[in-house]
Amino acid sequence: MTIEEAKKLMMVEKECINRHCDRDCGKCDIVQNIDDLNSAYDIVLQNLDKEIPKKITIFKYPKINYINYGCPVCRRKIISKIDNVLCCGELSDRCDRCGQKLDWSGEDV
């Protein structure tokens, strides 16, 4: 199921709820398959979770004074710092691979 399909199902579900439907009325074409709705809710929740900022993951290599800052979800490297100089990447508020919102607070980047 795509995000667009999930959104469509959720919009129909909202309409059903607003009509105070009990799903057993059989009077309309809004009543949906529960498995489809479960899939739609899963997709919505997964995407909503990406909107909650997560602390970045830090990989330190002290012997060579090298630090990688990465996504806490997919572990992709976002940016590196060598000898306290940023390089190899771009400071961003989202992971460009998985879309997770990132929390950089408290980090000396």
Side-chain angles (χ1 to χ4, degrees):
M1 177 178 298
T2 66
I3 292 173
E4 290 81 15
E5 291 169 333
K7 180 180 177 183
K8 184 177 177 183
L9 281 173
M10 298 302 292
M11 294 301 292
V12 172
E13 178 72 357
K14 182 179 179 196
E15 185 178 336
C16 189
I17 290 168
N18 288 336
R19 290 184 185 180
H20 307 289
C21 181
D22 64 5
R23 294 189 190 282
D24 292 323
C25 66
K27 296 178 184 173
C28 66
D29 59 353
I30 291 178
V31 179
Q32 300 177 67
N33 180 304
I34 294 298
D35 290 335
D36 289 342
L37 282 174
N38 275 329
S39 294
Y41 275 105
D42 288 343
I43 288 171
V44 168
L45 291 171
Q46 287 169 355
N47 283 283
L48 185 59
D49 195 42
K50 289 181 182 182
E51 296 303 312
I52 300 168
K54 292 190 168 114
K55 291 292 286 177
I56 56 164
T57 302
I58 301 171
F59 305 95
K60 292 184 178 183
Y61 307 91
K63 289 183 179 181
I64 56 174
N65 203 14
Y66 185 79
I67 301 172
N68 281 336
Y69 299 91
C71 175
V73 175
C74 72
R75 314 289 281 181
R76 181 181 180 105
K77 180 177 74 172
I78 306 294
I79 198 165
S80 297
K81 191 166 25 172
I82 301 172
D83 294 326
N84 285 331
V85 177
L86 292 175
C87 62
C88 306
E90 188 175 308
L91 197 60
S92 175
D93 66 338
R94 287 193 180 272
C95 175
D96 62 354
R97 177 187 284 165
C98 72
Q100 176 62 49
K101 203 168 196 176
L102 302 170
D103 177 4
W104 293 89
S105 64
E107 297 304 326
D108 183 25
V109 182

